[in-house]
């Protein structure tokens, strides 16, 4: 049973860096070819794709966030992480980690989501 | 990359069928058969309902079906049930190798 669980601070101050970790169980990140992804949802709004990392370390980001986003992987801990720098109130959202199946590109497992509020 | 266009809301009575559209461009929906659909109940994570335009994952009811014509993909739910009331999102792969979601559609079962 594949499971994903987000963790990290629920409150971040403006201009600081948001840091979240996704812990994966039921499958080894390092032995499979999936894309490990981050997706966010602003309060009451739709879903926004942030980007993904492959266990090899290759990444791909949403161009609108690319200058502020870093996704990394720690295969020894079976975790992957998101860092979003220079946050503002506009980055307040529920952040989901998810597994994406490459070609045909769909998200088959999701974490429960974690709300991150940007406020002083 | 602009979000795919979905109707803000649709509604139907139990037992009826409804269709939710998802309109993009030749750079996303129209260019690939990589459209997926997600169901999201309030306060819950999205759940995969359809992938690769029309494929259903194991465990998803066959009342859910997907199709595509040109730049528009569609999700049809037949035999509406109260439990189908949720938000639905489409997603597509794009020529830029990014992923784009639709704005979401709120389904109300009357």
């Amino acid at each position: 049973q594949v499971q994903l669980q987000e963790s990290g601070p629920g409150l971040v101050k403006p201009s600081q860096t948001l840091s979240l970790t996704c812990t994966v169980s039921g499958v080894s990140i390092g032995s499979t070819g999936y894309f490990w992804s981050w997706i966010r949802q602003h309060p009451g709004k739709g879903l926004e794709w942030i980007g993904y990392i492959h266990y090899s370390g290759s990444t791909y980001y949403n161009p609108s966030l690319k200058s502020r986003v870093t996704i990394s992987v720690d295969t020894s801990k079976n975790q992957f992480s998101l860092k979003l720098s220079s946050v503002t109130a506009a980055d307040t959202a529920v952040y989901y980690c998810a597994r994406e199946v490459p070609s045909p590109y769909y998200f088959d497992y999701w974490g429960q989501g974690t709300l991150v509020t940007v406020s002083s | 990359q602009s979000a795919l266009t979905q109707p803000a809301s649709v509604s139907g009575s139990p037992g009826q069928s409804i269709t939710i559209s998802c309109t993009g461009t030749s750079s996303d929906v129209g260019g690939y058969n990589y459209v997926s659909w997600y169901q999201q109940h309030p306060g819950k994570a999205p759940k995969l309902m359809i992938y690769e335009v029309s494929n259903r994952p194991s465990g998803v009811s066959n009342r859910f079906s997907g199709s595509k014509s040109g730049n528009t993909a569609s999700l049809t739910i037949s035999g509406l049930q109260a439990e189908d009331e949720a938000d639905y999102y489409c997603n597509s792969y794009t020529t830029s190798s990014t992923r784009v979601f639709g704005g979401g559609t709120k389904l109300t079962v009357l």
Side-chain angles (χ1 to χ4, degrees):
Chain A
Q1 172 83 350
V2 176
Q3 292 185 316
L4 294 86
Q5 177 70 57
E6 306 88 352
S7 60
L11 181 64
V12 181
K13 288 182 167 51
S15 80
Q16 294 190 340
T17 296
L18 176 160
S19 296
L20 295 174
T21 296
C22 182
T23 301
V24 180
S25 59
V27 65
S28 172
I29 288 181
S31 63
T32 57
Y34 297 103
F35 294 150
W36 301 97
S37 307
W38 288 97
I39 294 158
R40 70 180 182 179
Q41 185 170 33
H42 295 103
K45 302 296 184 183
L47 300 167
E48 179 181 27
W49 177 76
I50 298 173
Y52 72 77
I53 189 165
H54 183 259
Y55 79 90
S56 64
S58 64
T59 54
Y60 213 92
Y61 302 136
N62 186 324
S64 69
L65 297 169
K66 185 176 180 179
S67 63
R68 299 193 292 130
V69 172
T70 301
I71 299 177
S72 58
V73 65
D74 186 337
T75 55
S76 67
K77 294 182 179 179
N78 223 35
Q79 296 175 332
F80 63 105
S81 299
L82 169 71
K83 289 189 186 299
L84 181 65
S85 64
S86 305
V87 298
T88 69
D91 294 309
T92 293
V94 174
Y95 286 76
Y96 294 100
C97 57
R99 185 180 84 168
E100 183 183 29
V101 177
S103 189
Y105 306 107
Y106 58 88
F107 304 99
D108 59 349
Y109 288 97
W110 296 65
Q112 65 185 28
T114 187
L115 174 63
V116 179
T117 301
V118 178
S119 175
S120 55
Chain B
Q1 182 75 49
S2 300
L4 305 176
T5 301
Q6 296 181 232
S9 63
V10 298
S11 62
S13 300
Q16 289 186 331
S17 295
I18 63 94
T19 296
I20 299 171
S21 61
C22 170
T23 301
T25 68
S26 58
S27 296
D28 37 63
V29 174
Y32 307 91
N33 286 327
Y34 299 150
V35 176
S36 51
W37 289 90
Y38 302 85
Q39 175 192 66
Q40 186 180 36
H41 286 110
K44 300 295 186 181
K47 174 187 176 184
L48 176 68
M49 305 302 286
I50 295 287
Y51 66 95
E52 209 170 1
V53 176
S54 60
N55 292 321
R56 269 189 319 276
S58 174
V60 172
S61 170
N62 60 9
R63 297 186 298 104
F64 290 83
S65 62
S67 62
K68 192 186 85 167
S69 178
N71 295 337
T72 298
S74 298
L75 173 71
T76 297
I77 308 174
S78 59
L80 267 181
Q81 299 179 0
E83 67 204 49
D84 299 332
E85 185 162 294
D87 293 328
Y88 291 85
Y89 294 91
C90 59
N91 177 270
S92 176
Y93 179 82
T94 80
T95 52
S96 303
S97 299
T98 59
R99 323 291 190 257
V100 60
F101 284 96
T105 298
K106 181 177 180 58
L107 169 61
T108 300
V109 180
L110 302 171

